[in-house]
Amino acid sequence: MLRVVVKSVLITLAVIVVGQVISYSGRMATGQPFTPYVFFMNSFLPLVTALPASLIIFWQQHRIQQAHLALKRAHEELAVRAAHDGLTGLLNRETFLARLGAPGALLLIDADNFKAINDTFGHAEGDTALRLIAAALRSGSSPSWIVGRIGGEEFAVFIPNASAAEAASAGEKLRSLVANVQLYPVHSMPYPLSVSIGLAVGTEDIDLQHAFRQADVNLYAAKAAGRNTVVASSIKPRLVSHSSVA
């Protein structure tokens, strides 16, 4: 508001100065006296006309600018919400899939024993467990990685241009980070969390659908191998790391 008033006052002063100069020049040219009354009127009239008018105009412009900013912020917030999972803050399934592109490594990540968490402690604690897992995945991911929640307790990470060795190392890092997290249910002992990870590396010649199928096969193998495990392969599942969970 102060900016609007200052601009209006400056505009009014400019009108007064210009009016005084024109009036003085005209009167001198025609031989008419430039009296104090003329000076007063040349100052008074802009104050009662230009000042209110400029205040209204600048105030309307200010309101329009504020409305545009609010609309822009709302649009940006809506775009963020539309692209992200409301519970974990990770990319949702649609956005995750839209951002994929070969070559790269795909990691399918599934929370271990998640049904037991819901059945034992309730769905609120299950939601907390998902948020904790998501936070661990986010903390262990590089800015170039694409990280999303693609199902109920299933997450996915895509690492562009990663080799098999780099992807296996990344999977083990994420597995270890989650394994160091514990859930603290109300009136209960700390409950350890873990994930199983199936990994597939795609090249220019391997489409993403094939990579998803292979990663899903490896995820199933990780579950069968005892959970809290990373399994990667190009053709047949190969155990990368394993830490058994009681």
Side-chain angles (χ1 to χ4, degrees):
M1 183 61 185
L2 178 61
R3 187 176 180 181
V4 170
V5 173
V6 171
K7 289 171 65 177
S8 299
V9 170
L10 291 177
I11 289 293
T12 303
L13 290 176
V15 170
I16 291 174
V17 170
V18 171
Q20 295 288 12
V21 170
I22 294 174
S23 177
Y24 178 82
S25 300
R27 285 179 172 274
M28 291 298 101
T30 58
Q32 300 180 43
F34 188 77
T35 65
Y37 175 78
V38 173
F39 178 84
F40 170 77
M41 292 303 295
N42 288 340
S43 301
F44 176 73
L45 290 177
L47 286 175
V48 297
T49 56
L51 181 59
S54 59
L55 280 171
I56 293 173
I57 292 172
F58 288 136
W59 174 244
Q60 291 295 336
Q61 289 180 345
H62 174 71
R63 291 183 61 185
I64 291 173
Q65 290 174 351
Q66 292 300 110
H68 284 168
L69 289 175
L71 184 61
K72 181 181 179 181
R73 286 194 294 266
H75 184 270
E76 292 173 347
E77 182 179 349
L78 182 62
V80 170
R81 290 184 178 183
H84 291 77
D85 171 58
L87 178 65
T88 64
L90 301 179
L91 295 178
N92 59 31
R93 181 182 180 88
E94 293 76 14
T95 306
F96 178 84
L97 295 176
R99 296 188 182 182
L100 299 186
L106 176 66
L107 288 72
L108 293 186
I109 305 168
D110 193 80
D112 293 330
N113 302 309
F114 185 71
K115 186 177 184 299
I117 295 176
N118 279 335
D119 292 344
T120 304
F121 307 113
H123 289 278
E125 293 296 345
D127 288 347
T128 299
L130 292 177
R131 284 192 288 264
L132 290 171
I133 292 172
L137 297 179
R138 187 185 296 109
S139 69
S141 299
S142 297
S144 62
W145 297 9
I146 304 171
V147 186
R149 180 189 177 200
I150 61 172
E153 66 267 24
E154 191 170 24
F155 304 85
V157 174
F158 185 78
I159 309 175
N161 302 309
S163 66
E166 291 169 339
S169 176
E172 174 60 22
K173 175 184 177 182
L174 296 177
R175 183 208 62 78
S176 178
L177 284 171
V178 175
N180 288 327
V181 175
Q182 288 187 322
L183 178 68
Y184 291 88
V186 178
H187 308 305
S188 179
M189 297 292 290
Y191 188 90
L193 299 176
S194 68
V195 293
S196 298
I197 302 177
L199 191 157
V201 178
T203 66
E204 297 288 357
D205 300 324
I206 299 178
D207 61 25
L208 292 173
Q209 186 175 5
H210 175 76
F212 262 95
R213 286 197 300 267
Q214 186 61 61
D216 194 53
V217 169
N218 292 342
L219 175 59
Y220 182 82
K223 293 287 188 180
R227 299 184 175 88
N228 196 22
T229 297
V230 182
V231 170
S233 72
S234 56
I235 300 176
K236 295 182 179 180
R238 174 177 59 85
L239 189 64
V240 173
S241 63
H242 174 72
S243 175
S244 61
V245 181

